[in-house]
Every structure is written in structure tokens, then in C-alpha cells.
Amino acid sequence: MDLSSISPVLLLASLMVAATPILIAALGELVVERAGVLNLGIEGMMITGAICGFAVAVETGSPLLGFIAAAIGGALLSLLFVLLTQFALANQVASGLALTLFGLGLSALLGQKYVGVKPPPIAKLHIPVLSDIPFFGPVLFSHDIVVYLGLALVVAVWYMLKYTRAGLILRGVGENHDAAHALGYKVIRVRIMAITFGGACAGVGGAYISLIRVPQWTEGMTAGAGWIALALVVFASWKAGRVMLGAYLFGGVTVLQLNLQAAGVSIPVEYLSMSPYVITIIVLVIMSADKSRAPASLGRIFHATQ
Amino acid sequence: MLTLEKRPQPSKFWTYMTPLVAVIVTMIAGGMLFAALGKNPFTAIGTIFWEPLFGEFSFYYRPQLLVKGGPLILIAIGLSLGFRAGIWNIGAEGQYIIGAICGAAVGLAFYPAESWIIFPLMVIAGALGGLLWAMIPALLKVRFGTNEILVSLMLVYVAEQLLASMSLGLLKNPEGFGFPGSRNFQQYASGHNAELITGSGMHWGVVAAFIAVIFAYILLNRHILGFHIRLTGQAPRAARFAGVNPKLLVVFCLGASGALAGLAGLFEVSGPSGQISIDFNSGYGFTAIIVAFLGRLHPVGILLAGLLMALTYIGGEIAQSNLGLPAAAIQVFQGMLLFFLLAIDMLTNYRIKLTNRRVA
Amino acid sequence: MKLTKLLTSAAPAFALALGLATSAMAQDKTKVGFIYVGPVGDGGWTFEHDKGRLEVEAHFGDKVETVYQESVPEGADAERAITQMALQGADLIFTTSFGYMEPTLSVAGKFPNVKFEHATGYKTSDNVSVYSARFYEGRAIQGHIAGSMTKSNVIGYIASFPIPEVIRGINSAYIHAKKVNPDVEFKVVWAFTWFDPAKEADAATALIEQGADVILQHTDSKAPQAAAEKAGGVITFGQASDMSEYAPLPRVSSIIDHWGPYYIARTQAVMDGTWSSVNTWDGIGAGMVGIGEISDAVPADVKASALALKAAIASGEYHPFTGPLNKQDGSAWLADGEVADDGTLAGMGFYVEGITGDIPN
């Protein structure tokens, strides 16, 4: 056993990378759920974003265009969910699961000719002074730009929900859609925007896996990240700041587990592999004392009766 | 423009018509997809829907519909009880795995003894395993108010790791030359969930599924508990006034769905699958959620939905190997079918109206 | 309706009575089926089996028809998929994952006239052969290059599940790394997955951060290659497929699963009527294990000695598990000059002396 071989700096830095895809996807889902909609199709939208982003980045040579395409791809798929749940008034749980099934199949079809292709690389930012600060430099200031986009998104979502009129309306729609409707807000329109935003975020999160974290395309490569993102939202009790905390915890446990193994610590691997999930359950129980709860209209179908 | 108007009560006509319309629309859209992939759409659609039922080898595929549909129906019936009451167990996959592990462990503990009592004991252990696994989200919800969607989902991943650990450790076949996986129940008469009539596909799991359908039907329509379940789902406040104990209901619904999922796992591991292995679970627990909704949470609907789902799986497999369609295309096709079923289902409860001017 | 289908349709009537008889005899084309555990686009295990299938098609042209089914779950679904291929008139069916062992045997019992080939298993019958590759021979060469090239003397190994196949690979690589570099240390990380690119990337990164400058992998994705490339100064080896898009660095060589020749030979045997049940465990010599080109990043002398080792293994002159070797606990395993027997190798559940850490379970 040699714990000294684990470098805390590098550990924290790779933790930030591991957390980014689930962080971005979970923020999107947070907004969706705050609007009173439960979309279980994150995994499907993430993998669709992963292939759209990958394909476009490879064809154009521009990772930036790739990420934009990923956002569009995820958003387009989420529009299917919109059609089902907002216009056809279908059950959201079933629609979300169908979306995941569809997305996994579609991405595999789209990705057939991209197996084994290398994407264009993305440079890590090097911020002259900041990156050179000992400890904090490598941990915080020498990542690719998407990591910072994720962090900025945390602040943006938090601010939007808490301090803006749009956020107020969104929350109102999520808490009580009938009242919001009575007050003259366009419930459906708000929800469509929220769902599309969620789809775009999931797409970007997926593309982060295929373009930066791994980076390559293989079928089914998101391997359950979408479900973890879903868990994060509930874990965070629908608060943006806590989503970030949760993402680092989830990313952190996996990275730490692998690091402990590499350091030769004799640990029961399969039990450590299940630890992120067990920890989530424990945290859920601990946080149950907190009275923040799910948006009241979550998952309920809205139909305006005049 | 088009507007929706809620029907005073669900349309009988559309209740029966929507699945048919959805299947036809899926055939058209799916045909276009297959054509885009360079396959003859008529052959492809025909292969998926016709071959398993009436094709030249249907004598083999028809029983397989039961083998594939049985676990789906059994799990979905359990889930539908909770879903009706607004209790969301989406971790049936985990309960399925734990049921299989517990049941198999009991059977393997007796190996190589032969006795008629072994299989019933395995069945009980399987149901108990699933039940206990479902009790975790149930009790946490009752005691701490934690969200059961999340807890049950998390427990799926915990169960998957346990499964890997069991097939590599405790339950590993001691005569398996170190390879992962337990002994095979197909070679252990007392623990084997064999076909009841050879070539029929009917094993105890399928029988259990049919019994579950009947029980659920009686429970929901004839029993006070079923009434409470429906009432809680439709009007939680009214239910409380009617004397429903919501905590008890949570325990019952999660427990029942867990036990049925556990049973499904046990019947699968001791029958068609044969052994505990790292990849023993193949998504039945998740697919069953879709089946439950496709069947509109109605026992008979679930029975039909489970068989339809099984049909697309088996037909899809045939299309893959006969026509060289990629597995992904079949997945997309199944996704489409679900989309159309869910979308067209709206016609049961709503009427589409064409309005030219503002309705006062 | 195609001719073959009409001809096969004679079966159902008596198949019911006989318990599923075969119907494949009257065809002019030999039909070869493949059951895959992953998608053909996995870029690794299944991808290479499918390449083997395409080689069969290319070799025989019009004389064969191949069919495949991908992403077939192990268990009941596998049994149905295999049965279906047999029903549809396949003459020879390759089932390409360990978990298909029991389903293959069970279906084979019902179709005595169809030939079956199960990869990586150990149970045979009159119409079921098993075949596998001695990947540990390739691991020996990897270990040799890794031990010669490491500067930090730390070699990272991403393992999947603690099964004999994987343990054998770790031992073989370690023995040969140790031979050329007595100070070498192995860090093994068990991922408990065959395929999860993100986790594999994390595992590679964790190993690199802890000083490993060589990454060996027994998982199927190319994520570790990409992680090594990103880190820089780290070498890797392709797994299952050549992964040459990462050459010359970080990928310096590779183990390639090369099933084509075997598939062609077995198909030929069915055509000639000479097929019989065999237990094949071939290595570099027979061409089932390919060693991908050793890139220029490897020093010339190391490359030369690696190729010499490869030649010695191929000719049968040298066995990677040759004594003296002790087990991890120090107990004697092989005496000087003694060669491990296939039985022990097939069920290997222990580390050799010098490897630190425990095998899970």
C-alpha cells in the first residue's frame, strides 16, 4: 500500500473532468423538473448529443461546432418528448423511457461510420497567472473550456431560478400549473422551453464524453451517465449549487476508488463500485430533514380546460 | 387550429383502436426507416410481425413469445399497482436480480440433494429477496420521506455489482474451472424450472404471470385495497379522508412489485437462463415499466402489451439475422412503436376539435 | 420467397415430433451464422469476430452465406438466437462469448446435424467444438516491451473481471517485464466491466497520475489509449484490435484477435464434410493471436528482442510459463525448465510471485 502515490492535485483535477458531463446534463434536467416535467430520457439525449457532436466535430474539424451540434441534437430529440407529453398528453415516465430506447438505437445508427475515428483535439486553457498558482492552478485553472462552461451554468441556473422573473414563472408553473395558467402564463410554452433547454444540456454533456473525456465514439458509450444525472437532481433536492456538489461527489467516488486500487489499497472492488449509489441513498436520508421537496406538479399532465 | 377537448369518459372505441392504429403507423414509419437502410420495407415489416406468429418456424417462436413475455408481464403487473397509486418503483431490475440471487442461493445450498421441496423453497426465497430489496425504498420513504424513484433506481446499480460479486465469488460453480457463473439449474432436476409441457414455452414463471394478471384484476375491481390504490392515485386527499393509510399503501405496493419482480428473476435463473452470471439481467425490469404503461396499467392490457413487446423482440431478432438489419434499427423501431402508442393513446381520453374561431 | 426458404420449409412438420430437427441439408450454399455479444461497432471483441466473418465471405464468395446477430444477451435470449439460426438453415454457427456455453450445448443437442463452435468455453460435444486464443503469448511480448521501456518502473494494468483469462494475462506480462527489468512494479486496477469508456479513461488516468508510464489493458475500448495520448510520455498496447490510429505513440504494439483463418478453415471443413469436434487453443504460431506492428517509438534493440521472443513462442521453442516460477505466496509452482500444463493455465486463479495486491474474491 502506498497512499503517497496519490497526488491530491491530480486527483482533484481529474475529478472535475469526471464530474462535468453529469453536471451539465443534471443542470438541464433540474430546469426541466423545476418546470414540473419529469424527463427520464436523459440517457437517450446524452448519447444522441455524443454522436451528433462527435460527427460534426470530425467532419468540420471544429470541436466548437461539435458542441453546438450536440446541443441541437439533444434539443431536437427532446422535442419528441415535447410532442408526446405536452401535445399528446402522454405519461412522462413512459415517454422518457421510450426516448432513451429510441436515442440509444438512433445514435448507434448514426454512428456506424464513426467507430475508430479520432476527433479533433481541444486545447486546455492556460490562463497565464492563474494556472501557475501552486495547487489551485492545476486543480482549478487548467481545464478545457467546457469545464468552466459547466461551472458558469451552475451560477446561471441558480441566478435565473432565484432572481429573475423568468425563473419565478418557471417555478410557478412547476409548483402549480393550474394557478400559473389562471394567472395568464403560458404553461405549455414555458415547459417546451425548459424541456428543450434540458435536451440541449444533455446533448452537450454527452458530447463532453465523446469529444473530451474519452474521446472517441462507441455505441452505448454514455454507459448510464444519464441515469446518474437524473439521480443528481433529486440528490440535490432541485438546487443548482447542490447539483454541483453531487456531481463532484459522484465523479469523486469513482475516481478515488480507482486511485485507491492503483495505490494497492486492498479494497473490495465490487463494494466500492456500488459505493456512489449507496452514498446517494444515505445522503438522501440525511437530507430528508431538509424540507425542500419536489416541485408540486412534477410529472403531472397539464391540460388547460377553458 | 386544432384543440383538444377532454372526453367526459374514455372512449370505448378508441381504447381498442389506438393500439391498432399505432401499430399501423409504426409499420409505415418503420418501413421508411428500413428502406432508408437499403432493405425492402415490406419484407422487413413482414419478418418482424408475421414470422414469429405465422411464419414457417412459428411452432418454435410462438412458445418463445411466452418465454420472453412472461417475466415482462409478471413484473409489469406488480409495478402497475404502485403506478396507479402514484408510487414509482423504477428499480424492478434490481429486485429481479436480487430475487434471482436469493432463489438460486437456496437451490445451490441444497445441491446435489434431490427433493420436491427444493423448488418451492427457491420460489419463496426469490419472492422474499425481491420483497426485501423493495422494502429498502419503501421503508426509507415511509420513515424519512425519501424519494422512491431515486432510491429504487440506485439500488439497481448496487444489485448489479452484487450480481457480479456473486457470480465471481460465493455462487461460482466449483467445477467451473474458475470461470464466472454458478452451476446450471438446467442440469439440476430439483431446482430446474422446466417447461411444463415440452415445446410449449410454458414454465412456472409464465403460469405465475397469468395468475398475477387474474389476481391484479380481482384486486383492482373487487377488493377494497384495489379501490384504495385507485383512489390514492386519482385523488390523494380524498383517499386520506376515506381512511387510506398512505404509509401502508407504500409498503404494500412496493412490496408486491418487489416480490413479483423477485419471482420473475427466480423463474428466469432457474429456467430459461439457467445460471447466475455477470450479465444475467437483460433489462426486463426497465422494459416492464414501458409494458405497464403500454397496457394502460390495466392487467389485461399489460398481458397484451407484454406479448406485443415480446413480438417486437423476437421478430426483431429474426429480422436481424435474416435481413442483416442492425440491432440498433430494431431498437429505433421499438422506440417508434412506443412513441406512436403513447401519442395516439390521447384519442382515448381527448377529442380533437378543429376550431376556426375563438370558442367563447 | 427464396429457394433456400422453400427447401427449409419441409422441416416444421416432423421437427415438432423429433424435437426440432434440422433442415439445412439441401442447400447449395453453406450458411454460416455468428452470434455476437456486443455491437459490431464496439471496435474490439465483436468487431474482430465480425472481421473474421467478412474474411469468410471474401474467401468463399458465392459459396457461403453468412448471417449474424449482434448484442445478444447471454442466457435465454442467446438460446433463442442460436436456435433461430439453426432453424433458418445454418450449417455452422459460431457463438462468440463465454456466456453462450450452456445455450450452445443445449441447442446443439436439438440439432445434431448442425455444427457449433463456441469461443472461450470448455465444454464440447459431438457437434460442438470450442476454440480460444492463447492471448497470454501476446501478453508476454507486451510485458517484455513494457519492462524494457518503462522509466518509472511502474506499469499500470486495467483489468476487467477476476477470471482466469485476465489473471493469466497479468501473470504473463509481469513475468516477462520482470525478466528484463527486476525493479518493475505492477499496479492492477479492476474495472469490473468489459466496456465502459469513461471508466476505463478514468482508470488509465488514475494509473498515470500515480506514476505509471506504461498502460496495459484488458478492457475493450480505446479510451485508455486516448487518456495516455493526452497525458503524454506514456505507452500503451492495442487490445483486441490493432488500434493503429494511436500509433506510433502512445500505442507501440498490440494484440490482435485474428479469427479469420480459423473461421475459414472450419467453414471449409463443413463444406468438405470433414468437420469434427475439436478443442482448439491456438496462439501466435497458428496466427490466431496477431502482434500488431511494433512502432518506431520502441528502441531498435527492444524491438529486435521482442520479435525474437515472438518467433520463439511461435515456433513452440519457448513457453511463456516456464519454470522456475513460484506462486504469489512463495509456494513453488513450476520447477526449473518445467512448462505449465494447459489445465492449470485454463483455470488460473493465482498471481505469480512478485505481484503485489490481491485478486478480488
Side-chain angles (χ1 to χ4, degrees), chain C residues 1-360:
Chain C
M1 188 157 288
K2 284 189 299 187
L3 180 66
T4 49
K5 287 191 100 181
L6 281 173
L7 287 170
T8 52
S9 61
F14 51 84
L16 265 175
L18 293 176
L20 311 183
T22 180
S23 57
M25 302 318 290
Q27 287 174 235
D28 46 348
K29 274 187 180 184
T30 304
K31 192 165 175 176
V32 187
F34 294 81
I35 306 280
Y36 300 141
V37 72
V40 292
D42 72 353
W45 180 255
T46 295
F47 180 74
E48 287 300 320
H49 282 288
D50 200 53
K51 254 166 84 176
R53 177 183 72 87
L54 294 173
E55 281 179 46
V56 169
E57 277 197 341
H59 184 266
F60 292 104
D62 285 345
K63 288 194 290 181
V64 295
E65 180 191 353
T66 67
V67 292
Y68 70 91
Q69 201 174 317
E70 57 184 338
S71 300
V72 178
E74 298 169 351
D77 293 305
E79 181 155 348
R80 181 169 53 249
I82 302 166
T83 305
Q84 177 201 320
M85 274 189 186
L87 282 172
Q88 303 283 353
D91 303 279
L92 174 64
I93 299 175
F94 294 93
T95 57
T96 63
S97 173
F98 173 73
Y100 298 150
M101 182 162 73
E102 299 291 346
T104 304
L105 283 162
S106 157
V107 178
K110 295 172 192 154
F111 293 88
N113 294 322
V114 180
K115 314 299 182 206
F116 296 84
E117 299 262 350
H118 175 235
T120 71
Y122 55 87
K123 288 188 184 171
T124 57
S125 78
D126 283 349
N127 58 336
V128 179
S129 289
V130 291
Y131 64 101
S132 188
R134 296 180 188 265
F135 294 117
Y136 66 86
E137 296 185 351
R139 294 277 170 201
I141 294 160
Q142 285 190 353
H144 177 82
I145 299 175
S148 311
M149 286 185 71
T150 179
K151 294 190 183 71
S152 64
N153 291 334
V154 178
I155 292 173
Y157 203 112
I158 305 171
S160 47
F161 290 100
I163 60 172
E165 163 75 28
V166 177
I167 296 167
R168 209 158 50 226
I170 297 172
N171 282 332
S172 176
Y174 179 77
I175 291 167
H176 295 87
K178 184 96 175 166
K179 247 181 207 165
V180 290
N181 182 350
D183 298 326
V184 84
E185 182 201 344
F186 265 42
K187 285 180 187 281
V188 182
V189 166
W190 297 94
F192 272 72
T193 176
W194 287 112
F195 178 81
D196 181 344
K199 194 169 188 183
E200 291 168 47
D202 286 347
T205 308
L207 288 164
I208 293 166
E209 284 172 1
Q210 293 195 26
D213 62 353
V214 182
I215 299 290
L216 303 180
Q217 64 176 110
H218 205 134
T219 48
D220 283 352
S221 92
K222 290 171 200 161
Q225 314 281 332
E229 187 175 47
K230 230 190 302 185
V234 177
I235 63 167
T236 60
F237 295 84
Q239 158 74 8
S241 64
D242 196 24
M243 303 193 179
S244 56
E245 62 268 34
Y246 289 96
L249 269 176
R251 172 225 163 272
V252 293
S253 181
S254 61
I255 296 181
I256 306 168
D257 308 359
H258 194 199
W259 307 106
Y262 182 75
Y263 289 166
I264 290 170
R266 300 304 281 169
T267 307
Q268 187 67 53
V270 167
M271 288 175 172
D272 299 345
T274 56
W275 190 98
S276 64
S277 172
V278 292
N279 186 339
T280 305
W281 200 11
D282 278 346
I284 295 174
M288 199 179 262
V289 176
I291 300 299
E293 205 212 334
I294 298 174
S295 80
D296 295 337
V298 179
D301 57 325
V302 176
K303 183 172 178 174
S305 55
L307 289 175
L309 179 64
K310 178 185 167 187
I313 293 174
S315 66
E317 176 190 324
Y318 173 73
H319 190 291
F321 289 101
T322 304
L325 282 174
N326 290 341
K327 294 185 181 179
Q328 190 185 27
D329 57 13
S331 62
W333 175 34
L334 296 173
D336 197 4
E338 193 187 348
V339 168
D341 64 290
D342 280 358
T344 312
L345 287 182
M348 191 171 240
F350 58 86
Y351 280 150
V352 293
E353 194 174 40
I355 301 183
T356 52
D358 302 314
I359 299 171

Side-chain angles (χ1 to χ4, degrees), chain A residues 9-296:
Chain A
V9 174
L10 294 173
L11 183 71
L12 288 172
S14 50
L15 180 154
M16 291 190 66
V17 173
T20 297
I22 47 176
L23 174 64
I24 296 176
L27 282 171
E29 179 70 8
L30 173 83
V31 171
V32 177
E33 293 192 14
R34 269 300 183 87
V37 178
L38 180 65
N39 185 354
L40 295 186
I42 311 175
E43 178 84 0
M45 300 185 297
M46 277 185 93
I47 190 106
T48 307
I51 183 56
C52 289
F54 191 87
V56 170
V58 167
E59 299 298 340
T60 64
S62 157
L64 178 68
L65 285 179
F67 275 104
I68 293 172
I72 295 173
L76 278 179
L77 196 66
S78 74
L79 282 180
L80 270 177
F81 184 80
V82 165
L83 274 178
L84 284 174
T85 59
Q86 303 305 308
F87 294 109
L89 306 178
N91 177 282
Q92 294 175 2
V93 173
S95 303
L97 288 170
L99 200 67
T100 290
L101 185 70
F102 185 78
L104 285 170
L106 182 71
S107 63
L109 281 185
L110 292 174
Q112 273 171 342
K113 65 182 183 113
Y114 291 101
V115 174
V117 178
K118 271 208 283 187
I122 295 178
K124 282 187 178 177
L125 287 188
H126 188 86
I127 311 161
V129 183
L130 292 178
S131 301
D132 300 325
I133 305 173
F135 190 79
F136 291 107
V139 172
L140 295 177
F141 301 113
S142 53
H143 293 289
D144 54 85
I145 190 147
V146 187
V147 169
Y148 303 108
L149 178 77
L151 295 176
L153 205 58
V154 174
V155 179
V157 167
W158 167 76
Y159 182 83
M160 194 275 286
L161 285 175
K162 192 150 186 179
Y163 293 111
T164 65
R165 192 176 145 72
L168 189 70
I169 297 172
L170 184 93
R171 283 185 289 140
V173 165
E175 285 302 329
N176 188 336
H177 48 216
D178 293 321
H181 178 69
L183 287 172
Y185 296 118
K186 307 274 185 214
V187 173
I188 302 286
R189 191 177 299 167
V190 170
R191 288 190 169 162
I192 292 173
M193 289 194 290
I195 294 169
T196 320
F197 175 76
C201 285
V204 171
Y208 188 80
I209 299 179
S210 67
L211 283 175
I212 298 181
R213 185 156 170 228
V214 172
Q216 56 191 245
W217 165 252
T218 8
E219 278 183 38
M221 67 178 306
T222 47
W227 297 107
I228 293 180
L230 180 77
L232 271 181
V233 179
V234 192
F235 172 92
S237 51
W238 297 273
K239 291 191 165 71
R242 290 190 194 168
V243 166
M244 188 172 77
L245 193 76
Y248 288 145
L249 186 70
F250 263 81
V253 173
T254 312
V255 170
L256 183 68
Q257 186 260 106
L258 294 166
N259 266 286
L260 283 175
Q261 276 201 61
V265 182
S266 184
I267 45 165
V269 182
E270 57 273 48
Y271 296 104
L272 257 167
S273 296
M274 59 174 85
S275 63
Y277 308 108
V278 177
I279 291 172
T280 307
I281 295 174
I282 294 169
V283 172
L284 270 176
V285 171
I286 294 169
M287 296 212 307
S288 64
D290 182 350
K291 287 295 164 238
S292 50
R293 49 177 186 81

Side-chain angles (χ1 to χ4, degrees), chain B residues 185-210:
Chain B
F185 282 98
Q186 288 166 1
Q187 283 129 34
Y188 177 35
S190 289
H192 185 199
N193 169 27
E195 276 182 314
L196 299 173
I197 306 161
T198 310
S200 68
M202 285 290 274
H203 59 75
W204 283 112
V206 180
V207 175
F210 284 123

Side-chain angles (χ1 to χ4, degrees), chain B residues 43-250:
Chain B
T43 325
I45 298 291
T47 307
I48 295 173
F49 287 97
W50 186 263
E51 284 287 321
L53 290 173
F54 310 107
E56 49 183 323
F57 301 117
S58 58
F59 66 91
Y60 174 72
Y61 295 128
R62 277 188 219 149
Q64 287 294 313
L65 288 177
L66 295 178
V67 173
K68 187 85 194 174
L72 289 176
I73 295 166
L74 192 56
I75 301 171
I77 288 284
L79 294 179
S80 70
L81 299 177
F83 290 176
R84 276 181 173 238
I87 297 160
W88 303 99
N89 174 11
I90 61 172
E93 183 83 355
Q95 294 137 22
Y96 173 87
I97 292 173
I98 299 296
I101 291 177
C102 291
V106 167
L108 293 170
F110 282 104
Y111 186 88
E114 299 279 354
S115 163
W116 62 269
I117 190 80
I118 293 173
F119 190 66
L121 285 177
M122 287 167 64
V123 172
I124 294 169
L128 272 180
L131 178 91
L132 290 177
W133 204 245
M135 275 303 112
I136 300 173
L139 296 179
L140 289 181
K141 184 179 173 74
V142 169
R143 177 69 185 80
F144 299 105
T146 49
N147 181 303
E148 77 279 13
I149 297 183
L150 188 58
V151 177
S152 60
L153 180 65
M154 292 294 103
L155 285 171
V156 173
Y157 299 105
V158 177
E160 279 180 350
Q161 294 297 331
L162 268 178
L163 177 70
S165 157
M166 287 296 157
S167 22
L168 292 162
L170 223 51
L171 297 181
K172 187 161 76 173
N173 182 358
E175 286 150 31
F177 302 98
F179 284 90
S182 72
R183 283 183 200 278
N184 197 307
F185 282 98
Q186 288 166 1
Q187 283 129 34
Y188 177 35
S190 289
H192 185 199
N193 169 27
E195 276 182 314
L196 299 173
I197 306 161
T198 310
S200 68
M202 285 290 274
H203 59 75
W204 283 112
V206 180
V207 175
F210 284 123
I211 296 174
V213 168
I214 296 167
F215 262 84
Y217 187 85
I218 296 172
L219 177 76
L220 288 171
N221 291 294
R222 298 271 182 275
H223 198 277
I224 183 75
L225 187 59
F227 173 72
H228 283 171
I229 288 174
R230 284 184 293 146
L231 191 61
T232 308
Q234 283 157 8
R237 275 167 55 84
R240 222 155 302 153
F241 290 127
V244 177
N245 180 344
K247 294 188 170 180
L248 211 60
L249 205 64
V250 168

